[in-house]
Structures are given as structure tokens and as C-alpha cells.
Amino acid sequence: MTVNYRLHLQGQPDLPIDRILVVGRSKEADLVLDDQSVSRVHCRIVPYGNQLFLEDVSANGTLVNGAAVEQSSRLKANDAITLGSYTLQIIGVDHGPESDGPLSGYTIPPGVLTAAVDDRPPVQGSPVDLELVRLVHQPTVGALDATAFQDCIRVAERAVVFASGNLGSLDRRDEILSELHQALRGAADLDPAQALGQLNQTLIQHKIRASAVCARLELQQRRLLYASAAHFSPFVLRGTGKVMRVPEQPSLELGQMARARFQTEQFQMSPSETVVLVSAGLPALVGNDDVDAGLERIRQAVAGQPTTVKAVAARLTVLLKQHAAGIAPPPHSCAVCFGLG
């Protein structure tokens, strides 16, 4: 990965922005600022593709070039960030969304996109059927990104729990994925925020970070609960053909802080509604490294009629083939579509 930016604080070594950086008063932050007006977790510096963002999660606010940040702000080279009595600077060279080509590092050949369909009900005799389609890419020898994980656990007759995310390192990948699976099984009866807390403790032990989303579909109540750790919130296609997304809450990555807290959101689901969870890299892929453009393209693909799971998966497949020709995405589930029968 090419590092385009560094975070500069006078008197300290520059920090390469090659992952999400936490700035705050906490000793667990990546950049610790000793000022009582700075929150323990004050803001996050988030690289995405060739772009850079600041997310303000503080009580006292953050300024970028003298202007107050409302939740998030795009950052550029030479921007000045003010937190309490400290001023930080972004050092680097700006690149346009397509300057390095659309994810040119991926070496997986085109044409490997498949849809894995699970037509079984989650539990034999369950009063509610669940339809599930995973859009996947077959693993290829030499693939550069094998950091993604996706899991689905059926909980008796009550619920189905989904987890999807991306590890920040390939070190001991198989061992860590196995431990995450076991941790998710142990947390399957918890709400998603508590489940992410269990996964967080697993990654803290390994000193590895990950973005992730955990969703719990309660079958009889027809209710979806989910929590995010620096991951995109779900797309929900209503029976009208319109797409809803619950606003994303600022959150830390898994493995970033031992005492991190996550927040559960929930909404009711009706028949003919479909939920789509996307991997962390998918918006950048279909947006040619422009995350906002990619999210809008995904929204447009999800929207419309029919609203069935298979129809939505088919539209997403078309989108992926349009924007991933010759540079197919990483070898993992890039989207999970599910809904109630």
C-alpha cells in the first residue's frame, strides 16, 4: 500500500496514515495529546483509497483550517487540524480519485464472480424462512487481499447472526479467523454491540485491527439489529423499491482499544424487504477509489423492483462486472443479501 499522507505534530515524529489513526487523550490512542479539553477519543483520521477523512467523535469539537467539523470532513495535504491547544498538519500529496487507476493492485483475473445461494431455512420447522445470497469471488493463488472474513451462525429457532469485516493484517490469518468464529459463536445470543465487544477482545490479544459489522436477524420478531466497528451500515431495500440506510455512528475499529464501546441500531423488517451488507472495499472498488460515489452506485443498484433477495443480488452482480472488469475484487464475500420470506 502506498502511503500518501502523514500526520505531523511539532516536536514528534510524523505518523504515516496507512490505517485508521485515533487521536485523543487516552494512552491507547495512536497520537496522545495531554490536554484536558481533548477527549479521550477525540477524532479518527481515516484513509480510504486515495482519499483521507477526519471523523470527530469528541465533546468539544475539532477544527479543520479554522472551520468546525460536523461529524466528518474530507482532508487534503497541508490541512491544519485543531484539537484543544494542539494543531496537527496533514503532510503529503493529494491524488485524485482515479490517479492510480481503479485498485490496480488486485491481480485476480476477471470472470470469477459467482453467487452462492443458500435456499435452506435457517432452522428446520422455523415459522419464518430466510433467503440468503452471497456474492463471492473464488480465491486465486497470489491474490493480494485475503484479509476479509464473513460468518453466518444460526441460533436455534430464534435468530441468524451475520458478521462481515476486514482484518488489518495477514499475520496468522487462519488462526485468528478460527478464533473470531469461536468468539462469535460464544456471543451469538448477545446483541450485536456486545458481540463486537467479544470480537474486539480477541483481536486486542493478537494486536490486530479489523473493521466489521455484526447483524442479528430475529426471525419471529422480524427485527434486524446491527452494530458497526468502522464499517458501513447496511442497505435496506423496502417493499416500495426505495433504499434506507441508518446514519452511521462514529466508531473505533476492532482491536483498537480494549475498552471500546459499540452501539446497536435496530429496525423492523417486513416480507419482500432485502438487507445488503457490503465489505469494506466494495464502495471504493465500484467508485474507482471514490467511496462516496461507490456508495451511491451500490444504492442505485440495490434500489428498484423486484425487491427479492435474488433480484437484488443480480443487480449487484451487474454493477460489479461493470466496474471490476480486469481487476476483480479481493477473494472474499463482497456482499451478503438476505431477507425474510
PDB file of all heavy atoms in Angstrom, residues 140-161:
ATOM      1  N   THR A 140      -7.803 -16.920  -5.544  1.00  0.00           N
ATOM      2  CA  THR A 140      -6.828 -17.142  -6.595  1.00  0.00           C
ATOM      3  C   THR A 140      -5.434 -17.148  -5.989  1.00  0.00           C
ATOM      4  O   THR A 140      -5.116 -16.310  -5.153  1.00  0.00           O
ATOM      5  CB  THR A 140      -6.913 -16.027  -7.651  1.00  0.00           C
ATOM      6  OG1 THR A 140      -8.235 -16.015  -8.184  1.00  0.00           O
ATOM      7  CG2 THR A 140      -5.919 -16.249  -8.772  1.00  0.00           C
ATOM      8  N   VAL A 141      -4.598 -18.070  -6.405  1.00  0.00           N
ATOM      9  CA  VAL A 141      -3.230 -18.133  -5.895  1.00  0.00           C
ATOM     10  C   VAL A 141      -2.526 -16.802  -6.190  1.00  0.00           C
ATOM     11  O   VAL A 141      -2.585 -16.276  -7.297  1.00  0.00           O
ATOM     12  CB  VAL A 141      -2.465 -19.299  -6.556  1.00  0.00           C
ATOM     13  CG1 VAL A 141      -1.008 -19.283  -6.112  1.00  0.00           C
ATOM     14  CG2 VAL A 141      -3.134 -20.615  -6.186  1.00  0.00           C
ATOM     15  N   GLY A 142      -1.871 -16.245  -5.182  1.00  0.00           N
ATOM     16  CA  GLY A 142      -1.171 -14.989  -5.365  1.00  0.00           C
ATOM     17  C   GLY A 142      -2.038 -13.762  -5.146  1.00  0.00           C
ATOM     18  O   GLY A 142      -1.589 -12.641  -5.339  1.00  0.00           O
ATOM     19  N   ALA A 143      -3.286 -13.951  -4.767  1.00  0.00           N
ATOM     20  CA  ALA A 143      -4.153 -12.796  -4.534  1.00  0.00           C
ATOM     21  C   ALA A 143      -3.580 -11.925  -3.423  1.00  0.00           C
ATOM     22  O   ALA A 143      -3.037 -12.428  -2.447  1.00  0.00           O
ATOM     23  CB  ALA A 143      -5.550 -13.259  -4.161  1.00  0.00           C
ATOM     24  N   LEU A 144      -3.699 -10.612  -3.580  1.00  0.00           N
ATOM     25  CA  LEU A 144      -3.059  -9.692  -2.656  1.00  0.00           C
ATOM     26  C   LEU A 144      -3.867  -9.422  -1.398  1.00  0.00           C
ATOM     27  O   LEU A 144      -3.330  -8.956  -0.413  1.00  0.00           O
ATOM     28  CB  LEU A 144      -2.788  -8.355  -3.373  1.00  0.00           C
ATOM     29  CG  LEU A 144      -1.815  -8.439  -4.548  1.00  0.00           C
ATOM     30  CD1 LEU A 144      -1.584  -7.060  -5.124  1.00  0.00           C
ATOM     31  CD2 LEU A 144      -0.490  -9.047  -4.109  1.00  0.00           C
ATOM     32  N   ASP A 145      -5.177  -9.672  -1.449  1.00  0.00           N
ATOM     33  CA  ASP A 145      -6.013  -9.332  -0.296  1.00  0.00           C
ATOM     34  C   ASP A 145      -6.816 -10.544   0.133  1.00  0.00           C
ATOM     35  O   ASP A 145      -7.774 -10.926  -0.520  1.00  0.00           O
ATOM     36  CB  ASP A 145      -6.954  -8.182  -0.652  1.00  0.00           C
ATOM     37  CG  ASP A 145      -7.743  -7.700   0.565  1.00  0.00           C
ATOM     38  OD1 ASP A 145      -7.685  -8.370   1.604  1.00  0.00           O
ATOM     39  OD2 ASP A 145      -8.398  -6.664   0.463  1.00  0.00           O
ATOM     40  N   ALA A 146      -6.398 -11.142   1.227  1.00  0.00           N
ATOM     41  CA  ALA A 146      -7.152 -12.260   1.791  1.00  0.00           C
ATOM     42  C   ALA A 146      -7.532 -11.941   3.230  1.00  0.00           C
ATOM     43  O   ALA A 146      -7.645 -12.821   4.059  1.00  0.00           O
ATOM     44  CB  ALA A 146      -6.310 -13.535   1.741  1.00  0.00           C
ATOM     45  N   THR A 147      -7.713 -10.655   3.503  1.00  0.00           N
ATOM     46  CA  THR A 147      -7.933 -10.226   4.883  1.00  0.00           C
ATOM     47  C   THR A 147      -9.407 -10.266   5.289  1.00  0.00           C
ATOM     48  O   THR A 147      -9.717 -10.059   6.450  1.00  0.00           O
ATOM     49  CB  THR A 147      -7.425  -8.787   5.090  1.00  0.00           C
ATOM     50  OG1 THR A 147      -8.194  -7.896   4.271  1.00  0.00           O
ATOM     51  CG2 THR A 147      -5.956  -8.672   4.730  1.00  0.00           C
ATOM     52  N   ALA A 148     -10.300 -10.501   4.346  1.00  0.00           N
ATOM     53  CA  ALA A 148     -11.727 -10.403   4.667  1.00  0.00           C
ATOM     54  C   ALA A 148     -12.224 -11.647   5.390  1.00  0.00           C
ATOM     55  O   ALA A 148     -11.687 -12.736   5.234  1.00  0.00           O
ATOM     56  CB  ALA A 148     -12.541 -10.192   3.398  1.00  0.00           C
ATOM     57  N   PHE A 149     -13.259 -11.448   6.209  1.00  0.00           N
ATOM     58  CA  PHE A 149     -13.904 -12.593   6.835  1.00  0.00           C
ATOM     59  C   PHE A 149     -15.411 -12.382   6.804  1.00  0.00           C
ATOM     60  O   PHE A 149     -15.904 -11.253   6.799  1.00  0.00           O
ATOM     61  CB  PHE A 149     -13.419 -12.807   8.276  1.00  0.00           C
ATOM     62  CG  PHE A 149     -13.702 -11.673   9.221  1.00  0.00           C
ATOM     63  CD1 PHE A 149     -14.878 -11.620   9.950  1.00  0.00           C
ATOM     64  CD2 PHE A 149     -12.779 -10.657   9.392  1.00  0.00           C
ATOM     65  CE1 PHE A 149     -15.127 -10.583  10.832  1.00  0.00           C
ATOM     66  CE2 PHE A 149     -13.027  -9.610  10.270  1.00  0.00           C
ATOM     67  CZ  PHE A 149     -14.200  -9.584  10.999  1.00  0.00           C
ATOM     68  N   GLN A 150     -16.142 -13.478   6.731  1.00  0.00           N
ATOM     69  CA  GLN A 150     -17.600 -13.429   6.718  1.00  0.00           C
ATOM     70  C   GLN A 150     -18.100 -14.677   7.411  1.00  0.00           C
ATOM     71  O   GLN A 150     -17.578 -15.770   7.202  1.00  0.00           O
ATOM     72  CB  GLN A 150     -18.119 -13.352   5.281  1.00  0.00           C
ATOM     73  CG  GLN A 150     -19.607 -13.081   5.149  1.00  0.00           C
ATOM     74  CD  GLN A 150     -20.448 -14.341   5.100  1.00  0.00           C
ATOM     75  OE1 GLN A 150     -20.023 -15.355   4.588  1.00  0.00           O
ATOM     76  NE2 GLN A 150     -21.641 -14.264   5.646  1.00  0.00           N
ATOM     77  N   ASP A 151     -19.078 -14.519   8.273  1.00  0.00           N
ATOM     78  CA  ASP A 151     -19.571 -15.633   9.064  1.00  0.00           C
ATOM     79  C   ASP A 151     -21.086 -15.529   9.181  1.00  0.00           C
ATOM     80  O   ASP A 151     -21.653 -14.436   9.121  1.00  0.00           O
ATOM     81  CB  ASP A 151     -18.949 -15.600  10.468  1.00  0.00           C
ATOM     82  CG  ASP A 151     -18.755 -17.004  11.044  1.00  0.00           C
ATOM     83  OD1 ASP A 151     -19.423 -17.938  10.559  1.00  0.00           O
ATOM     84  OD2 ASP A 151     -17.957 -17.147  11.972  1.00  0.00           O
ATOM     85  N   CYS A 152     -21.728 -16.665   9.313  1.00  0.00           N
ATOM     86  CA  CYS A 152     -23.176 -16.719   9.473  1.00  0.00           C
ATOM     87  C   CYS A 152     -23.491 -17.852  10.433  1.00  0.00           C
ATOM     88  O   CYS A 152     -23.105 -18.998  10.188  1.00  0.00           O
ATOM     89  CB  CYS A 152     -23.863 -16.938   8.131  1.00  0.00           C
ATOM     90  SG  CYS A 152     -25.647 -17.144   8.239  1.00  0.00           S
ATOM     91  N   ILE A 153     -24.160 -17.548  11.534  1.00  0.00           N
ATOM     92  CA  ILE A 153     -24.449 -18.539  12.567  1.00  0.00           C
ATOM     93  C   ILE A 153     -25.949 -18.574  12.821  1.00  0.00           C
ATOM     94  O   ILE A 153     -26.579 -17.530  13.019  1.00  0.00           O
ATOM     95  CB  ILE A 153     -23.688 -18.208  13.872  1.00  0.00           C
ATOM     96  CG1 ILE A 153     -22.186 -18.332  13.639  1.00  0.00           C
ATOM     97  CG2 ILE A 153     -24.130 -19.127  15.010  1.00  0.00           C
ATOM     98  CD1 ILE A 153     -21.350 -17.898  14.813  1.00  0.00           C
ATOM     99  N   ARG A 154     -26.509 -19.751  12.819  1.00  0.00           N
ATOM    100  CA  ARG A 154     -27.929 -19.916  13.085  1.00  0.00           C
ATOM    101  C   ARG A 154     -28.119 -20.222  14.572  1.00  0.00           C
ATOM    102  O   ARG A 154     -27.486 -21.128  15.100  1.00  0.00           O
ATOM    103  CB  ARG A 154     -28.484 -21.042  12.224  1.00  0.00           C
ATOM    104  CG  ARG A 154     -28.237 -20.789  10.746  1.00  0.00           C
ATOM    105  CD  ARG A 154     -28.703 -21.935   9.879  1.00  0.00           C
ATOM    106  NE  ARG A 154     -28.417 -21.635   8.478  1.00  0.00           N
ATOM    107  CZ  ARG A 154     -28.969 -22.262   7.456  1.00  0.00           C
ATOM    108  NH1 ARG A 154     -29.837 -23.225   7.673  1.00  0.00           N
ATOM    109  NH2 ARG A 154     -28.660 -21.938   6.226  1.00  0.00           N
ATOM    110  N   VAL A 155     -28.982 -19.478  15.203  1.00  0.00           N
ATOM    111  CA  VAL A 155     -29.172 -19.596  16.649  1.00  0.00           C
ATOM    112  C   VAL A 155     -30.528 -20.246  16.913  1.00  0.00           C
ATOM    113  O   VAL A 155     -31.559 -19.585  16.915  1.00  0.00           O
ATOM    114  CB  VAL A 155     -29.101 -18.220  17.339  1.00  0.00           C
ATOM    115  CG1 VAL A 155     -29.142 -18.389  18.849  1.00  0.00           C
ATOM    116  CG2 VAL A 155     -27.855 -17.474  16.910  1.00  0.00           C
ATOM    117  N   ALA A 156     -30.516 -21.554  17.127  1.00  0.00           N
ATOM    118  CA  ALA A 156     -31.745 -22.298  17.430  1.00  0.00           C
ATOM    119  C   ALA A 156     -32.871 -21.845  16.512  1.00  0.00           C
ATOM    120  O   ALA A 156     -32.683 -21.757  15.306  1.00  0.00           O
ATOM    121  CB  ALA A 156     -32.100 -22.144  18.903  1.00  0.00           C
ATOM    122  N   GLU A 157     -34.050 -21.593  17.074  1.00  0.00           N
ATOM    123  CA  GLU A 157     -35.178 -21.145  16.262  1.00  0.00           C
ATOM    124  C   GLU A 157     -35.366 -19.635  16.342  1.00  0.00           C
ATOM    125  O   GLU A 157     -36.383 -19.115  15.895  1.00  0.00           O
ATOM    126  CB  GLU A 157     -36.467 -21.846  16.730  1.00  0.00           C
ATOM    127  CG  GLU A 157     -36.448 -23.340  16.561  1.00  0.00           C
ATOM    128  CD  GLU A 157     -37.759 -23.969  17.018  1.00  0.00           C
ATOM    129  OE1 GLU A 157     -38.656 -23.198  17.443  1.00  0.00           O
ATOM    130  OE2 GLU A 157     -37.878 -25.189  16.942  1.00  0.00           O
ATOM    131  N   ARG A 158     -34.394 -18.949  16.904  1.00  0.00           N
ATOM    132  CA  ARG A 158     -34.623 -17.549  17.242  1.00  0.00           C
ATOM    133  C   ARG A 158     -34.052 -16.561  16.244  1.00  0.00           C
ATOM    134  O   ARG A 158     -34.667 -15.540  15.958  1.00  0.00           O
ATOM    135  CB  ARG A 158     -34.041 -17.253  18.624  1.00  0.00           C
ATOM    136  CG  ARG A 158     -34.650 -18.092  19.732  1.00  0.00           C
ATOM    137  CD  ARG A 158     -34.135 -17.632  21.080  1.00  0.00           C
ATOM    138  NE  ARG A 158     -32.683 -17.722  21.201  1.00  0.00           N
ATOM    139  CZ  ARG A 158     -32.028 -18.847  21.502  1.00  0.00           C
ATOM    140  NH1 ARG A 158     -32.699 -19.978  21.681  1.00  0.00           N
ATOM    141  NH2 ARG A 158     -30.723 -18.874  21.620  1.00  0.00           N
ATOM    142  N   ALA A 159     -32.846 -16.802  15.764  1.00  0.00           N
ATOM    143  CA  ALA A 159     -32.155 -15.732  15.048  1.00  0.00           C
ATOM    144  C   ALA A 159     -31.080 -16.294  14.123  1.00  0.00           C
ATOM    145  O   ALA A 159     -30.693 -17.461  14.200  1.00  0.00           O
ATOM    146  CB  ALA A 159     -31.522 -14.762  16.050  1.00  0.00           C
ATOM    147  N   VAL A 160     -30.620 -15.423  13.239  1.00  0.00           N
ATOM    148  CA  VAL A 160     -29.436 -15.675  12.425  1.00  0.00           C
ATOM    149  C   VAL A 160     -28.495 -14.502  12.642  1.00  0.00           C
ATOM    150  O   VAL A 160     -28.908 -13.338  12.581  1.00  0.00           O
ATOM    151  CB  VAL A 160     -29.786 -15.803  10.933  1.00  0.00           C
ATOM    152  CG1 VAL A 160     -28.532 -16.088  10.116  1.00  0.00           C
ATOM    153  CG2 VAL A 160     -30.817 -16.906  10.722  1.00  0.00           C
ATOM    154  N   VAL A 161     -27.229 -14.800  12.930  1.00  0.00           N
ATOM    155  CA  VAL A 161     -26.237 -13.763  13.203  1.00  0.00           C
ATOM    156  C   VAL A 161     -25.235 -13.726  12.048  1.00  0.00           C
ATOM    157  O   VAL A 161     -24.681 -14.757  11.659  1.00  0.00           O
ATOM    158  CB  VAL A 161     -25.504 -14.027  14.536  1.00  0.00           C
ATOM    159  CG1 VAL A 161     -24.412 -12.979  14.764  1.00  0.00           C
ATOM    160  CG2 VAL A 161     -26.504 -14.010  15.690  1.00  0.00           C
TER     161      VAL A 161
END
